[in-house]
């Protein structure tokens, strides 16, 4: 993994990124964008709010790619976009690992992680373990426990993306399933990447704010970019804004595969390439559904049939159908599809636990309007004799619109809510919680404030009766909370609930 100066110049020119290059050639043994990672003979990409002082005392930088001249006495490639330059150079430095993998990309406001795990589990079964996964929860590049690490971003920085792809190829992986966020396109983290199959699950307002997308239209436009860069595309025919998304896809593709719940309305009723699914039964710990390809499309000959999904909630069935379609296009067989969904587990997603004398608890990563609304609607349907008691907060310094969205959901779906700290970042969790509380319009919803998240979970469980459901939303199994710029260790929502269950079983539960 090396780069020559001539290669750098040629690559940047090919993508119309080069403004001015050095007249001398050079060889580079390493590439990076973080001054703390510099090694000998490093080509350094100065992206973002870079300052020359960041390289004070740093030895090993022998070339630079930047959008400004910082006056350093080393070869400099001036470019018009450092994020795109980093992506292009990373592809080459890691020897184009994306060309050695079948890649499926999944986008949407909710369900990306769930659908990604469904597809990963099916393809892992089909390929005898030779499938990698890049998700919000973790990045898995090989078959061993040490080949998995916690993700810091839904879609990583381009350098990390291609580095992990290269690791996956090195470890014998042939397939990759990955989540693709709108930020990935906004920040050019996936610039130049092509997908074999792209899925668009759904869209609703999210990630709109000063540090994210300025408008919903901008958010949607960046989501749609996945369709432009995929060889085949799959779209939920029952989603909001379907007509616009479908037309965008149809402008780039001869075939646009769609799916929908049986009997559900579609904005384009004459769709001929639609796969349908219907619920057979949903219970507290799993669900059952059937998929039909009425058009008998050759591409989907393996997916028709009945499935058990190792997760509760009929809202998970549409994500499973999308994953079935993606894996069918990858060549998966019915047996792998059936086993993959039957055995799938997703860290922090729809984990249910019975609590002696205190009903059932659900732990889920739901962290936006659409996912929380679906989760609480399911919970309400499962507890006609009891209450839905919710524990949640909202992240600080991003996704500000979520706070009012949460209030809307709580107003119509919750009986009681314990507002607590999520990832407050540089905000006060009390301020975030009061913003949510002030926007709750249903006076029947009982509001509790408890900023210590573990205590809030215990208090909610203590309050719950035998027919109630306690829904702990937002953190899942995250092992830390972001507080004042520091990743503060946290046992995770799942472990917090599990500790309560153990104490209840041992007769030692106290608040």
């Amino acid at each position: 993994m090396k780069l020559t100066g001539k290669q750098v110049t040629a690559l940047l020119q090919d993508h119309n990124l080069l403004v001015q290059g050095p007249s001398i050639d050079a060889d580079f043994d390493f590439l990076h964008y973080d001054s703390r990672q510099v090694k000998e003979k490093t080509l350094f990409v100065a992206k973002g709010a870079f300052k020359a002082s960041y390289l004070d005392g740093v030895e090993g930088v022998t070339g630079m790619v930047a959008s400004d001249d910082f006056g350093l006495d080393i070869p400099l490639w001036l470019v018009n976009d450092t994020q795109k330059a980093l992506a292009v150079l990373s592809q080459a430095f890691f020897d184009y690992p994306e060309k050695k993998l079948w890649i499926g990309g999944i986008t949407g406001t909710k369900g990306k992680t769930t659908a990604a795990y469904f597809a990963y589990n099916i393809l892992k079964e089909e390929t005898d373990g030779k499938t990698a996964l890049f998700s919000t929860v973790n990045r898995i590049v090989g078959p061993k426990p040490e080949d998995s690490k916690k993700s810091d971003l839904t879609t990583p920085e381009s350098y990390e993306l291609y580095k992990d792809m290269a690791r996956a190829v090195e470890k014998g992986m042939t397939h990759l399933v990955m989540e693709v966020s709108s930020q990935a396109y906004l920040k050019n983290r996936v610039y130049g990447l092509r997908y074999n199959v792209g899925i668009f699950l759904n869209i609703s307002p999210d990630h709109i704010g000063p540090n994210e997308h300025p408008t919903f239209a901008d958010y949607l436009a960046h989501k749609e970019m996945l369709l432009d860069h995929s060889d085949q595309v799959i779209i939920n025919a029952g989603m909001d804004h379907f007509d616009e998304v479908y037309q965008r896809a149809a402008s780039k593709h001869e075939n646009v595969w769609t799916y929908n719940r049986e009997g559900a309305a579609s904005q384009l009723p004459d769709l001929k390439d639609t796969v349908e699914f219907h619920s057979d039964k949903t219970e507290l710990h799993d669900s059952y559904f059937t998929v039909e390809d009425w058009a008998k499309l050759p591409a989907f000959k393996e997916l028709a049939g009945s499935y058990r999904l190792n997760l509760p909630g009929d809202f998970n069935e549409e994500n499973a159908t999308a994953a079935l379609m993606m894996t069918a296009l990858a060549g998966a067989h019915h047996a792998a599809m059936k086993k993959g969904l039957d055995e799938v587990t997703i860290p922090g997603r729809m984990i249910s636990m019975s609590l002696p004398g205190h009903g059932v608890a659900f732990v889920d990563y739901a962290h936006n309007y659409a996912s929380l609304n679906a989760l609480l609607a399911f919970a309400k349907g499962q507890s006609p004799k009891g209450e839905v008691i919710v524990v949640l907060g909202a992240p600080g310094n991003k996704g500000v619109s979520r706070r009012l969205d949460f209030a809307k959901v709580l107003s119509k779906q919750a009986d009681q809510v314990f507002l607590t700290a999520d990832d407050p970042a540089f905000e006060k969790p009390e301020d975030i919680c009061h913003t949510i509380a002030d926007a709750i319009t249903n006076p029947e919803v009982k509001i509790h404030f408890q900023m210590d998240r573990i205590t809030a979970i215990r208090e909610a469980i203590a309050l719950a009766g035998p027919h109630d459901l306690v829904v702990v939303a937002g953190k899942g199994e995250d092992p830390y909370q972001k507080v004042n710029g520091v990743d503060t260790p946290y046992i995770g929502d799942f472990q917090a609930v599990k500790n309560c269950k153990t104490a209840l079983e041992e007769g030692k539960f106290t608040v």
Side-chain angles (χ1 to χ4, degrees):
M1 296 187 291
K2 294 186 177 184
L3 289 172
T4 67
K6 289 183 179 178
Q7 282 180 295
V8 173
T9 297
L11 287 166
L12 297 175
Q13 285 177 332
D14 287 347
H15 289 266
N16 298 314
L17 296 170
L18 187 64
V19 176
Q20 181 179 324
S23 57
I24 61 172
D25 196 11
D27 294 328
F28 301 102
D29 294 337
F30 195 58
L31 172 75
H32 220 287
Y33 61 95
D34 186 340
S35 60
R36 297 167 296 182
Q37 305 298 324
V38 168
K39 298 180 181 180
E40 187 176 353
K41 297 180 71 174
T42 291
L43 176 63
F44 186 81
V45 181
K47 71 180 191 69
F50 177 79
K51 298 178 181 178
S53 59
Y54 293 168
L55 292 179
D56 288 349
V58 176
E59 297 183 0
V61 176
T62 53
M64 177 178 281
V65 177
S67 56
D68 294 294
D69 187 343
F70 294 98
L72 302 178
D73 188 22
I74 53 175
L76 170 67
W77 283 263
L78 278 177
V79 296
N80 52 39
D81 192 314
T82 53
Q83 286 283 166
K84 290 181 178 179
L86 179 62
V88 168
L89 296 172
S90 296
Q91 284 179 315
F93 181 70
F94 290 109
D95 194 24
Y96 300 97
E98 73 281 5
K99 295 181 179 180
K100 304 163 190 174
L101 294 164
W102 178 98
I103 304 177
I106 302 173
T107 198
T109 301
K110 68 166 182 171
K112 291 189 298 298
T113 300
T114 303
Y117 264 89
F118 291 163
Y120 164 72
N121 226 51
I122 292 169
L123 288 177
K124 186 172 68 168
E125 183 67 28
E126 178 68 30
T127 63
D128 194 24
K130 295 182 175 64
T131 299
L133 172 69
F134 295 174
S135 78
T136 299
V137 178
N138 53 15
R139 295 206 290 276
I140 301 171
V141 299
K144 298 179 180 179
E146 58 266 31
D147 296 329
S148 177
K149 64 181 177 181
K150 179 165 174 34
S151 297
D152 52 348
L153 294 168
T154 296
T155 310
E157 182 58 79
S158 58
Y159 180 91
E160 311 301 336
L161 181 69
Y162 293 111
K163 176 182 177 181
D164 283 343
M165 282 187 189
R167 290 179 62 210
V169 170
E170 182 183 344
K171 292 177 181 294
M173 301 297 102
T174 58
H175 291 64
L176 166 64
V177 177
M178 62 178 288
E179 296 181 49
V180 186
S181 66
S182 59
Q183 293 284 302
Y185 279 107
L186 182 66
K187 303 292 186 181
N188 285 309
R189 295 174 190 151
V190 291
Y191 176 77
L193 181 59
R194 188 80 185 171
Y195 305 87
N196 294 86
V197 178
I199 296 177
F200 200 127
L201 297 172
N202 46 65
I203 189 76
S204 59
D206 195 27
H207 292 289
I208 299 169
N211 300 320
E212 299 175 285
H213 296 280
T215 63
F216 174 75
D218 184 77
Y219 174 56
L220 174 57
H222 283 89
K223 286 284 188 190
E224 290 175 326
M225 289 181 182
L226 175 65
L227 306 174
D228 301 341
H229 298 91
S230 298
D231 295 337
Q232 298 190 77
V233 293
I234 300 167
I235 302 174
N236 181 355
M239 67 186 284
D240 290 344
H241 303 277
F242 172 71
D243 183 49
E244 178 181 344
V245 175
Y246 181 85
Q247 295 303 336
R248 172 74 169 261
S251 70
K252 304 282 185 178
H253 302 275
E254 182 178 352
N255 292 312
V256 179
W257 311 118
T258 63
Y259 61 99
N260 206 356
R261 188 178 296 275
E262 184 179 351
S266 170
Q267 296 169 54
L268 291 180
D270 59 342
L271 289 171
K272 65 181 184 301
D273 297 336
T274 298
V275 170
E276 289 189 334
F277 66 96
H278 65 260
S279 295
D280 297 320
K281 180 174 61 173
T282 182
E283 299 181 338
L284 284 171
H285 304 288
D286 57 9
S287 60
Y288 301 79
F289 69 107
T290 299
V291 178
E292 293 285 353
D293 171 25
W294 297 111
K296 305 301 180 187
L297 299 167
F300 301 123
K301 61 184 175 65
E302 293 286 336
L303 64 75
S306 297
Y307 297 88
R308 173 189 174 271
L309 184 57
N310 193 34
L311 281 179
D314 57 3
F315 56 88
N316 283 314
E317 294 164 0
E318 66 178 29
N319 296 326
T321 301
L324 288 168
M325 294 173 71
M326 169 179 273
T327 55
L329 293 174
H333 293 85
H334 185 73
M337 296 175 180
K338 203 167 182 72
K339 186 175 182 181
L341 293 183
D342 186 73
E343 298 180 354
V344 68
T345 58
I346 307 172
R349 297 305 200 275
M350 286 302 287
I351 302 171
S352 61
M353 279 182 277
S354 297
L355 304 169
H358 293 262
V360 175
F362 283 108
V363 176
D364 193 82
Y365 190 69
H367 61 286
N368 58 42
Y369 175 87
S371 56
L372 184 65
N373 189 54
L375 174 61
L376 296 193
F378 169 74
K380 259 202 168 314
Q382 296 297 311
S383 64
K385 295 182 180 179
E387 291 190 338
V388 174
I389 304 170
V390 184
V391 181
L392 62 66
N397 302 112
K398 70 174 185 177
V400 177
S401 61
R402 292 179 186 172
R403 301 169 196 183
L404 301 184
D405 289 341
F406 287 169
K408 292 178 185 177
V409 178
L410 294 169
S411 294
K412 63 181 179 179
Q413 305 279 22
D415 296 293
Q416 301 198 50
V417 58
F418 282 78
L419 295 172
T420 188
D422 187 284
D423 287 328
F426 293 96
E427 292 190 67
K428 292 181 179 180
E430 295 90 343
D431 294 343
I432 297 172
C433 290
H434 278 287
T435 299
I436 298 172
D438 291 345
I440 293 176
T441 57
N442 183 354
E444 298 299 317
V445 177
K446 296 179 182 178
I447 302 172
H448 309 267
F449 295 92
Q450 173 53 259
M451 294 308 107
D452 182 87
R453 193 172 179 91
I454 294 175
T455 302
I457 292 170
R458 294 180 68 86
E459 290 179 353
I461 290 173
L463 188 66
H467 300 294
D468 295 338
L469 288 182
V470 178
V471 177
V472 185
K475 294 292 293 175
E477 294 185 68
D478 280 358
Y480 57 80
Q481 290 178 287
K482 295 181 181 296
V483 182
N484 293 322
V486 177
D487 287 345
T488 304
Y490 173 59
I491 64 172
D493 290 348
F494 170 71
Q495 189 61 49
V497 173
K498 187 177 180 181
N499 289 349
C500 291
K501 178 179 180 178
T502 300
L504 284 166
E505 291 172 340
E506 297 175 352
K508 299 177 181 179
F509 182 75
T510 58
V511 179

